[in-house]
Amino acid sequence: MENHIMEYFQKRYQQQLIPPVRTKAPGPVLTISRECGCEGTALARQLALRLNEYYLPIGCKSSWEVISKKILEAAAQELKTQSENIKFIFDSEQRTMWEDFMQSVTSKEYHSEWKIKNAIKNVIRDFATEGYSIILGRGGAQITRDIEKALHVKLVAPVQWRAERFMEKHDLSKAVALARIKEIDNNRDKLIKMLYAGCSQELCYDITYNVEKFSTGQLVLDIIHLMQQKKLI
């Protein structure tokens, strides 16, 4: 009996000497959601550039990266298929029951919509967990909303202002620019609803900016300040 007790306490003592394995907390991650014409890509790139300029020289071991197209590529890789075969999800298209059936019968690389959506969510989650990611669109705020080391930004602006910028950038008439903007905004809303049904979209964002009122440089500085306040950097 005494031997068993001694063995028990010896094991407890040895366990106390071994430091516990600490799992890294997910993040840090920044998500940027935007209405069409709000120049979210330019802002994301400027943020990554400025964050890396500030923090890599003073000891940060990881560089910040903008994640957008990589989500499609990584999801396709996870499913072992070509990105063209799952791109319809990002275009907010849905297969009819007949199309889905024919795909399942005729295509060796068939994947159900449910499986594709799940792969996309897993990929976004992986990028967020790994950290130092600026996730642009794709429902990033919704899928990472429970991560503590995260900041979720939404960019908005009046539709007429966005249309003027869009028509200049793509050399379109204002009527065509307005129609295109509305189409893209609707597709983005459909994508989020398709991927994250039941999630209250607006409550996922920490802050919303009217980009008509701020320059890209001002937004960069303000977002970095918020990231500092939330201890993401």
Side-chain angles (χ1 to χ4, degrees), residues 159-212:
V159 67
Q160 295 293 334
W161 182 87
R162 291 188 285 131
E164 288 176 8
R165 294 173 66 89
F166 197 82
M167 63 184 283
E168 289 174 9
K169 183 176 180 179
H170 299 283
D171 193 24
L172 302 170
S173 69
K174 191 162 186 180
V176 172
L178 277 168
R180 184 68 182 133
I181 277 176
K182 288 178 182 177
E183 180 186 3
I184 293 171
D185 283 343
N186 286 336
N187 286 344
R188 287 174 178 171
D189 286 341
K190 286 178 185 176
L191 174 66
I192 293 174
K193 288 173 183 175
M194 188 192 305
L195 291 175
Y196 315 108
C199 171
S200 177
Q201 292 185 40
E202 297 306 318
L203 294 179
C204 292
Y205 307 119
D206 297 316
I207 188 164
T208 299
Y209 290 102
N210 177 358
V211 298
E212 182 189 18

Side-chain angles (χ1 to χ4, degrees), residues 50-60 64 224 228 233:
R50 195 64 67 90
L51 286 165
N52 292 331
E53 283 179 349
Y54 284 169
Y55 291 98
L56 286 175
I58 60 173
C60 183
W64 286 84
I224 288 177
Q228 291 170 334
I233 49 179

